Amino acid sequence: MLLTLGLLLGCELLGEVTARALALPVPGPVLGLVLLVALLALRPSLAKGLRATTGVILANLSLLFVPAGVGVIGNLEVLSRDAVALIVVLCVSTWAAMLAALFTFLAARRLGRRGAE
């Protein structure tokens, strides 16, 4: 389990160092995940070793939401005071994200069809 955690955290650390050193607009953990996927593609046998540890991590993932829940409860007065503004911002940002995903998909599909012709 320690080696697996070392691999996961090492990939994340390498991604973070790379993102900061090259001033990339991509978060370090995303680069670390890309590195992990590349490692798994090059050495598929690593996946078997990761399975047990990642299963434990995923089984206990809900514990990571406890601090966020405590933060929400600790700021209930702010939430109640600005409830309307927060609801509007959440709705608008959700719709904006869905529209961005839609247009990205449509553009990728158009490019894929153009490349196939």
Side-chain angles (χ1 to χ4, degrees), residues 21-100:
L22 300 176
L24 297 174
V26 178
V30 172
L31 289 178
L33 184 60
V34 169
L35 175 64
L36 181 63
V37 169
L39 283 173
L40 290 172
L42 292 174
R43 298 212 32 212
S45 61
L46 283 176
K48 187 177 180 183
L50 288 173
R51 188 163 287 127
T53 303
T54 54
V56 171
I57 292 171
L58 288 174
N60 296 298
L61 191 63
S62 61
L63 292 175
L64 297 176
F65 293 105
V66 171
V70 170
V72 168
I73 298 300
N75 292 307
L76 279 179
E77 74 260 357
V78 174
L79 292 174
S80 63
R81 184 182 65 225
D82 299 329
V84 174
L86 288 170
I87 290 171
V88 169
V89 166
L90 284 172
C91 290
V92 169
S93 63
T94 300
W95 277 100
M98 288 192 301
L99 287 173

Side-chain angles (χ1 to χ4, degrees), residues 98-115:
M98 288 192 301
L99 287 173
L102 171 69
F103 290 126
T104 302
F105 169 75
L106 292 174
R109 188 175 71 170
R110 192 176 316 119
L111 286 172
R113 285 184 181 166
R114 200 176 291 159

